[in-house]
Amino acid sequence: MQTEPLDNIQMQPRKLYRYRFRTCHTLREGFAKSREKIWIRNTGIMYTGKANGLHHFHLLGFQTEFIQGTTAPAFNLLKETAYIFDDLRICLTGEGKIVSIKNLKKIKERWHQEREQLETFNRGASVQNYFDFLSQVLEDEQKISEYILSYTMYGMFFNGSHLGSLTPDESVMRKIVFPYSEDIFSENWKYISHSANEETTFTVKGKPAQTDSGSLYLGSFIYNSGILQEASLKITHQYNHTKYTVLWVG
């Protein structure tokens, strides 16, 4: 059955919805030792309306916090560069595909200015490789779009941009980015309940494209009157343990 989930948006146009995103990566090293990295973002999401058949969103990052057991130079650089994506203006089709990042030019200009400052205090081949990589990504709008809709960024809100209007028993292929790998998973979404108070719940189970009996992929998304209230997704795959959560905070 064909659906156009974004045509059922329940968000009030130009109202700011505040969400807290949390990503926790745990990489096991040996039997007893593990490393944990946590990324917390306080954000604002605004649906600015529909024009020319496209849905327009304004995504704002207010505060970002990184937590890890030990300080690493690369991790510190991630802190310094995260704010580049704190102001995103995107256009999506009814099927949830980003077709335009309206302020991409300003994002590039912001990064060029930041890079000049960071290069003053950060040197070395690995640092330059990271800067070059980020510059190359910013030149590829498709890669940026994929990053924006990944679970690491705003994928927990958009769910592939279904916004609570998923078709029961729908299957979705999604690339999941781990700290040291990228893998394709087949997600199976299930409609669970629709109660009298307008609460709707979906669950998702996933399995990797390649055989891996040790994987765990399980999540749930709760909506009220078409607005995402909270969601969580746990993934265990090849010694990586990742948990994504999002909570509506007002």
Side-chain angles (χ1 to χ4, degrees):
M1 182 174 71
Q2 287 293 109
T3 61
E4 292 191 353
L6 282 176
D7 287 339
N8 297 317
I9 288 175
Q10 301 299 314
M11 300 173 71
Q12 295 181 28
R14 301 197 175 278
K15 176 181 177 180
L16 190 68
Y17 293 79
R18 294 178 178 268
Y19 284 91
R20 180 176 294 119
F21 292 84
R22 186 178 188 272
T23 300
C24 178
H25 288 300
T26 303
L27 180 64
R28 181 174 296 174
E29 298 176 331
F31 292 102
K33 186 178 179 181
S34 63
R35 286 187 295 152
E36 186 175 75
K37 296 181 179 181
I38 300 173
W39 186 13
I40 301 172
R41 296 182 298 125
N42 291 309
T43 70
I45 299 176
M46 182 186 299
Y47 176 58
T48 56
K50 185 177 181 181
N52 300 321
L54 298 175
H55 300 277
H56 297 248
F57 283 85
H58 191 181
L59 311 177
L60 294 166
F62 297 127
Q63 184 181 30
T64 301
E65 181 181 2
F66 294 92
I67 303 170
Q68 72 165 9
T70 58
T71 301
F75 205 63
N76 289 335
L77 283 177
L78 185 59
K79 297 179 185 179
E80 297 289 344
T81 57
Y83 90 100
I84 295 168
F85 301 99
D86 278 354
D87 185 349
L88 296 166
R89 301 167 189 265
I90 61 175
C91 302
L92 301 97
T93 65
E95 292 76 26
K97 179 182 178 181
I98 294 179
V99 297
S100 175
I101 302 172
K102 295 189 290 183
N103 62 333
L104 181 57
K105 182 179 179 180
K106 289 185 177 180
I107 293 172
K108 291 179 180 179
E109 292 174 353
R110 193 186 315 158
W111 164 238
H112 290 319
Q113 294 173 1
E114 179 68 11
R115 177 169 182 168
E116 290 180 1
Q117 296 179 10
L118 289 174
E119 285 180 329
T120 304
F121 303 100
N122 299 275
R123 300 181 183 279
S126 61
V127 171
Q128 288 300 316
N129 289 338
Y130 174 73
F131 289 164
D132 291 341
F133 169 76
L134 189 51
S135 295
Q136 291 172 7
V137 168
L138 290 174
E139 293 300 324
D140 190 330
E141 191 167 358
Q142 181 177 349
K143 287 185 178 180
I144 301 175
S145 298
E146 291 176 355
Y147 179 59
I148 293 171
L149 293 181
S150 69
Y151 283 139
T152 302
M153 285 293 284
Y154 289 97
M156 289 295 289
F157 174 81
F158 285 106
N159 302 333
S161 298
H162 290 87
L163 292 174
S165 301
L166 282 160
T167 304
D169 303 321
E170 183 170 0
S171 181
V172 180
M173 299 298 294
R174 186 185 294 273
K175 180 169 69 175
I176 303 296
V177 180
F178 293 104
Y180 304 107
S181 65
E182 297 183 4
D183 292 283
I184 304 296
F185 285 79
S186 175
E187 293 184 344
N188 293 305
W189 290 81
K190 297 287 185 181
Y191 172 86
I192 299 300
S193 63
H194 184 79
S195 58
N197 63 355
E198 299 299 321
E199 185 174 284
T200 305
T201 302
F202 290 90
T203 62
V204 58
K205 293 182 179 180
K207 60 180 181 180
Q210 62 273 47
T211 303
D212 183 358
S213 59
S215 288
L216 171 69
Y217 193 115
L218 185 64
S220 64
F221 294 75
I222 300 174
Y223 297 80
N224 191 288
S225 300
I227 305 298
L228 178 66
Q229 305 294 301
E230 61 179 303
S232 65
L233 176 64
K234 295 180 180 180
I235 304 174
T236 298
H237 181 61
Q238 296 181 355
Y239 302 105
N240 286 287
H241 303 272
T242 304
K243 183 176 182 180
Y244 304 97
T245 60
V246 59
L247 177 68
W248 181 34
V249 293

